[in-house]
Amino acid sequence: MSSSLQSLQGNKACALAAVAAGCRFFAGYPITPSSEIAEKLSRELPRVDGVFIQMEDEIASIAAVIGASLGGAKAMTATSGPGFSLMQENLGFAAMTEVPCVIVNVMRGGPSTGMPTKPAQGDLMQARWGTHGDHPIIVVAPASVQEVYTETIRAFNLAEEFRVPVIVTYDQIIAHLVESVELPRRGEIKIVDRKWADGTEHDFKPYAETDDLIPLMARPGDGHRLHVTGLTHLPDGFPTQKPDLASKALTRLLDKIERHRARIDKVELIETADAEVVIVAVGIAARAARRAVETLRSEGIKAGLVRPVTLWPFPEEALRTAAANARLVLVPEMNLGQLVLEVERVLGRGVRVAGLNRVDGEPIPPAAMVSKIRELVAQ
Amino acid sequence: MNEIARITDFDVKDYLRLHLMPHFMCPGCGHGIALRSLLWAVHDLGIDRNRLAIVSGIGCSGRVGAYIDANTYHTTHGRPLAFATGLKLARPDLTVVVIAGDGDCLAIGGNHLIHACRRNLDLTCLMLNNEIYGMTGGQVSPTTAATRVTSTTPSGNAEPTFDACKLADAAGASFVGREVTRQAPALKNLIKSAIEHDGFSFVEVMTDCTEIYGRKNDLGESPEMILSQKCDMVPDGLGNAPDQPFRPNPMATGILARHARPEYGRTYRDRAADLRAEKGR
Ligand SMILES: Cc1ncc(C[n+]2csc(CCOP(=O)(O)OP(=O)(O)O)c2C)c(N)n1
Ligand code: SF4
């Protein structure tokens, strides 16, 4: 037997996946609907010689996570909308200083305190653009408990490989849903560790221009005594304000993600080969969209689904290909129109793009998608 | 060996990143004396700089860390204690020293300070108190004295000020001390005791911002400012008795309080080990 089946709640699957991926440090502050992640890890981490700490707020939590990661530990935090907003400044610090870490944002209704126990998808753009300045970011958006498990592990691997903060985002329904999950055995999980400098290299530059654009990391205590700063810095780690050098340093940060897109991007395509109507949706909305596609097909409408698993970078090529013969693209989302902006950007003016939005704390049912599409197709 | 010989065996240049010189601080800025005193303490303690981590916030005080030839982390405004908490918990083998400004530590980072004191993780926090926001051009800070003129209190500060040591003691710091830059050897000794202390140590270093605070308030040049720092010294040794009551005197210097409290990191790890042993049984 190579794996075991278990009934798991989404948030618990996230916590167990983190431990399986090698997470040994968690700092967080309680917030619905993410708290079960912290509660589970407060039990699990001490058992594997890891550390759990409940900090005084979310700002402290992500700061501690970055500190722990700089010390060499795989580290994560978990939060929800308002807490995610508080983390944004330090998320930028992690992007700028290239510190691997994982941030789980279980989305809830907003703005402000919104609807804490209701699902929403209001933070899709906050995940991409929340912090100040242009910055690289990877965001994964699982749509089932099984995928919460596998994508959380992948999030740690991507963070380590590309030295970038990785956000795992899903909504309250997936967080609290109990589904059966296939848990791989320990040895079967692919685990990536950051590339370490061995501490003896002469002239070590912590932000060196390597071939793959991803510099080696140096662990304190190993021999390199280096400087880490959120100020724009040179390959040697010390600040610069020289225009050409600053531009080069910041461009590399974005390029290191762009260049490796093929290793990061993940998208699920359902019946898109001949699709005349394409639905683009993530998370719980995509699950309803899958059902809508079945219904539409049974009615003779050639519908298909594009589900970005990697929300950022956005799977542009896959969407362009899937929508090549489409006359309509529908973007159902539980917000007032965020993902639709990206879809419009990618597809340009060539195809009609419409949104279907809901912000009352209820999911969008498949029937709503079907009738919206029937209505638009008839026009 | 006498004190003079011991002094000469410390050369600050051995501990600095000389390629970053000249440094960016204004002439006469007390932050330089604080930096020198810290390095002198590191020298006296014989700390392996590969295992020394300096975590600083944002401000003139926050820039001080970069000059130290150790593992240095220049983090975000107000948050160095939170970063340091993660670093120290993940790496108990490191000596972690936090350098923060008074704005960093008491205003934007006030919440982190009280919780770091309460938690009692083995960190040393040096708060460089120049009674002003130096880096942003001299706005009022939580330690600016009453009636002082700053760029945001044009008619004189009307807010009362914090006694940071009293605050740290009340919040549970197990080591609290204060020193003025005029007494560099005493400051060095205080920092030494703070680093050696097993638990959270809070040290308030009274420095001076000559360029902005001093000039605006007509406090004279650096030597005059440094000499005018009033202090009421706790004679050496007096402060060394553990569990002595805190001295609630805003002018007192030296070790102001020392309490025997369980260090957080070890407590956590011990509990975790118990949990693992239970599970193993
Ligand atoms: C979130 C945030 N708010 C404001 C600032 C601007 N800022 C930079 S340094 C500073 C105050 C510095 O004062 P202090 O901490 O007392 O240190 P000093 O410069 O006096 O040594 C401020 C407000 C910032 N960098 N980040
Ligand atoms: S502005 Fe003030 S605190 Fe900053 S370096 Fe100059 S004298 Fe020092």
Side-chain angles (χ1 to χ4, degrees):
Chain A
M1 200 182 73
S2 64
S3 58
S4 65
L5 267 186
Q6 249 191 53
S7 275
L8 275 181
Q9 185 213 46
N11 279 343
K12 291 206 171 124
C14 177
L16 291 179
V19 174
C23 174
R24 291 297 177 268
F25 185 89
F26 178 97
Y29 190 80
I31 184 166
T32 304
S34 77
S35 297
E36 295 86 1
I37 300 173
E39 287 166 358
K40 184 78 179 154
L41 285 170
S42 73
R43 287 175 179 77
E44 297 298 323
L45 283 173
R47 298 204 163 113
V48 291
D49 210 6
V51 176
F52 167 92
I53 185 169
Q54 184 170 314
M55 295 296 286
E56 53 272 17
D57 59 30
E58 288 85 352
I59 302 177
S61 301
I62 187 165
V65 159
I66 296 168
S69 180
L70 284 166
K74 289 189 184 177
M76 88 184 284
T77 184
T79 188
S80 182
F84 189 49
S85 299
L86 284 180
M87 291 181 182
Q88 292 296 342
E89 183 198 17
N90 280 322
L91 198 56
F93 180 89
M96 182 61 134
T97 55
E98 300 179 71
V99 174
C101 54
V102 172
I103 299 103
V104 182
N105 176 22
V106 183
M107 288 182 280
R108 61 188 236 181
S112 192
T113 328
M115 289 191 276
T117 59
K118 298 280 193 171
Q121 298 183 321
D123 300 341
L124 304 183
M125 284 295 173
Q126 188 186 192
R128 175 65 192 93
W129 298 109
T131 201
H132 52 290
D134 296 293
H135 62 280
I137 205 82
I138 296 176
V139 182
V140 296
S144 65
V145 179
Q146 177 72 58
E147 212 174 50
V148 167
Y149 190 86
T150 52
E151 286 302 302
T152 300
I153 292 177
R154 198 168 75 99
F156 274 95
N157 288 343
L158 291 169
E160 293 289 314
E161 180 166 6
F162 299 105
R163 291 189 58 178
V164 66
V166 177
I167 295 160
V168 179
T169 194
Y170 51 90
D171 57 73
Q172 179 270 340
I173 299 178
I174 295 169
H176 291 156
L177 200 63
V178 176
E179 290 184 313
S180 80
V181 178
E182 202 176 304
L183 298 177
R185 297 220 152 187
R186 189 169 300 238
E188 286 163 2
I189 300 172
K190 183 187 160 219
I191 295 196
V192 179
D193 290 314
R194 57 192 91 166
K195 287 181 289 172
W196 291 110
D198 74 8
T200 57
E201 309 86 336
H202 217 64
D203 225 17
F204 175 69
K205 290 209 166 53
Y207 295 98
E209 277 276 347
T210 50
D211 289 341
D212 64 1
L213 303 181
I214 306 152
L216 302 179
M217 264 187 103
R219 197 173 358 218
D222 282 0
H224 294 305
R225 301 194 287 257
L226 43 95
H227 187 54
V228 173
T229 178
L231 291 166
T232 305
H233 43 267
L234 293 172
D236 67 4
F238 294 100
T240 182
Q241 295 201 43
K242 294 211 174 80
D244 52 334
L245 299 176
S247 164
K248 203 171 157 194
L250 292 178
T251 312
R252 178 182 64 77
L253 289 186
L254 289 151
D255 284 350
K256 81 173 173 183
I257 300 301
E258 270 313 308
R259 184 180 295 183
H260 299 288
R261 235 174 200 279
R263 296 240 294 288
I264 301 168
D265 271 8
K266 197 167 170 183
V267 61
E268 186 188 14
L269 301 173
I270 292 177
E271 310 239 35
T272 55
D274 62 345
E276 288 166 6
V277 173
V278 170
I279 305 180
V280 185
V282 295
I284 199 71
R287 286 174 71 149
R290 195 177 309 178
R291 177 70 61 82
V293 167
E294 280 168 24
T295 310
L296 289 162
R297 284 266 165 189
S298 71
E299 289 178 9
I301 298 180
K302 288 184 179 166
L305 170 67
V306 174
R307 179 173 74 91
V309 179
T310 312
L311 180 56
W312 309 108
F314 192 72
E316 301 182 8
E317 269 316 305
L319 175 61
R320 273 194 209 100
T321 310
N325 301 312
R327 48 192 169 120
L328 173 68
V329 174
L330 184 75
V331 188
E333 46 184 333
M334 288 144 73
N335 58 48
L336 290 175
Q338 299 190 15
L339 193 61
V340 69
L341 300 174
E342 187 66 7
V343 172
E344 283 169 352
R345 181 187 73 77
V346 170
L347 296 181
R349 292 182 178 278
V351 53
R352 182 172 174 208
V353 177
L356 176 62
N357 308 90
R358 188 162 186 174
V359 286
D360 58 356
E362 296 295 324
I364 307 173
M369 299 178 193
V370 170
S371 58
K372 179 83 181 179
I373 285 170
R374 271 197 216 119
E375 181 193 314
L376 290 169
V377 167
Q379 274 172 20
Chain B
M1 213 189 272
N2 64 30
E3 190 66 21
I4 304 286
R6 289 216 313 113
I7 290 171
T8 50
D9 111 71
F10 164 63
D11 185 350
V12 72
K13 290 198 202 74
D14 296 341
Y15 292 83
L16 291 173
R17 290 174 168 147
L18 293 172
H19 70 278
L20 298 180
M21 298 295 150
H23 60 72
F24 95 112
M25 279 170 278
C26 309
C29 176
H31 287 5
I33 302 175
L35 168 62
R36 187 177 196 284
S37 305
L38 166 61
L39 295 179
W40 192 1
V42 165
H43 173 83
D44 274 12
L45 290 170
I47 295 172
D48 169 7
R49 274 173 294 153
N50 286 329
R51 291 189 186 279
L52 173 64
I54 308 285
V55 184
S56 63
I58 300 288
C60 297
S61 44
R63 291 288 194 99
V64 165
Y67 299 110
I68 302 175
D69 183 17
N71 304 282
T72 53
Y73 305 95
H74 180 225
T75 66
T76 51
H77 190 36
R79 320 300 172 195
L81 281 169
F83 277 81
T85 299
L87 180 60
K88 180 71 184 180
L89 281 172
R91 293 293 303 278
D93 59 311
L94 302 176
T95 300
V96 182
V97 177
V98 171
I99 304 177
D102 44 286
D104 227 17
C105 223
L106 298 175
I108 190 166
N111 197 27
H112 308 310
L113 174 65
I114 55 180
H115 289 280
C117 291
R118 173 182 65 83
R119 215 170 266 134
N120 202 33
L121 182 64
D122 185 22
L123 302 169
T124 299
C125 174
L126 305 185
M127 185 187 88
L128 308 192
N129 183 1
N130 57 6
E131 298 174 66
I132 197 89
Y133 284 26
M135 176 146 277
T136 39
Q139 297 84 3
V140 71
S141 107
T143 51
T144 305
T147 75
R148 292 284 202 223
V149 174
T150 73
S151 52
T152 48
T153 56
S155 55
N157 182 20
E159 287 189 16
T161 66
F162 260 134
D163 179 337
C165 289
K166 211 164 150 183
L167 178 75
D169 183 68
S174 55
F175 181 106
V176 181
R178 181 191 287 123
E179 199 45 84
V180 293
T181 47
R182 187 173 93 201
Q183 314 276 7
L187 175 56
K188 178 261 299 187
N189 286 332
L190 179 64
I191 297 173
K192 262 174 80 171
S193 308
I195 293 176
E196 280 179 312
H197 175 77
D198 182 31
F200 186 77
S201 312
F202 178 79
V203 175
E204 179 177 19
V205 184
M206 301 303 298
T207 84
D208 62 284
C209 172
T210 34
E211 272 312 294
I212 296 173
Y213 193 55
R215 225 175 262 279
K216 263 212 175 83
N217 288 285
D218 244 348
L219 301 176
E221 297 291 316
S222 171
E224 287 160 84
M225 276 186 81
I226 288 175
L227 287 171
S228 74
Q229 286 176 346
K230 290 209 195 68
C231 63
D232 162 14
M233 266 183 291
V234 176
D236 227 74
L238 231 190
N240 288 337
D243 276 321
Q244 56 158 31
F246 177 70
R247 294 152 196 277
N249 171 357
M251 295 302 156
T253 62
I255 299 174
L256 303 184
R258 185 145 61 173
H259 311 284
R261 294 205 173 114
E263 194 273 326
Y264 174 71
R266 193 167 334 101
T267 307
Y268 183 88
R269 289 189 298 275
D270 286 352
R271 298 246 167 109
D274 289 349
L275 195 75
R276 288 195 296 274
E278 245 169 61
K279 204 189 168 202
R281 249 185 278 136

